[in-house]
Amino acid sequence: VALIQGPPGTGKSYVGARIAKLLLAQPSASAAMGPLLVLCYTNHALDQFLASLLDAGVCGIVRVGARGAGAAEGSGDPRLEACSMKRLRAHASARTEKRMQAEAFSELDRLGGEAR
């Protein structure tokens, strides 16, 4: 458990992103550690922290909950939209539906071949 606290502009997001990247860079530790849970006091602070993680090269981020006010105004980081659970869930549903359609067509082709 880690806590980073301080006034605005003191590098909390930067330090947190560096710590996360170092933790995730350890092959044996990241496999045993599992996912990281990042909590922030505001949605805006979470968006900033997640953007710092993306800047540091961390991938596999899932953003749960509402985005900060800047996102609604279009001034938020567009990369975070791709990390939203809503977007990821919709993408997974579309993939599942396409896979099921492909299996159904394959089965129809197989049955059509048997009928001939």
Side-chain angles (χ1 to χ4, degrees):
V1 175
L3 173 69
I4 301 173
Q5 184 178 1
T10 56
K12 297 177 295 296
S13 295
Y14 175 79
V15 170
R18 297 291 296 187
I19 291 170
K21 187 172 183 179
L22 287 172
L23 287 172
L24 295 171
Q26 304 299 322
S28 59
S30 62
M33 182 176 53
L36 293 176
L37 177 63
V38 177
L39 304 171
C40 294
Y41 188 67
T42 65
N43 285 325
H44 178 71
L46 182 59
D47 288 346
Q48 285 184 312
F49 186 80
L50 294 179
S52 295
L53 289 177
L54 290 171
D55 292 341
V58 175
C59 57
I61 294 173
V62 178
R63 169 70 160 89
V64 179
R67 297 271 313 279
E73 301 164 0
S75 62
D77 191 328
R79 299 176 299 168
L80 294 177
E81 183 60 33
C83 300
S84 73
M85 181 172 284
K86 184 178 180 180
R87 169 77 54 97
L88 294 171
R89 185 177 291 151
H91 183 66
S93 295
R95 281 195 327 244
T96 301
E97 185 176 331
K98 287 178 183 177
R99 182 179 45 83
M100 291 173 62
Q101 286 175 349
E103 289 173 0
F105 285 127
S106 177
E107 184 66 15
L108 285 173
D109 288 343
R110 187 185 66 76
L111 291 173
E114 290 177 3
R116 293 182 207 158

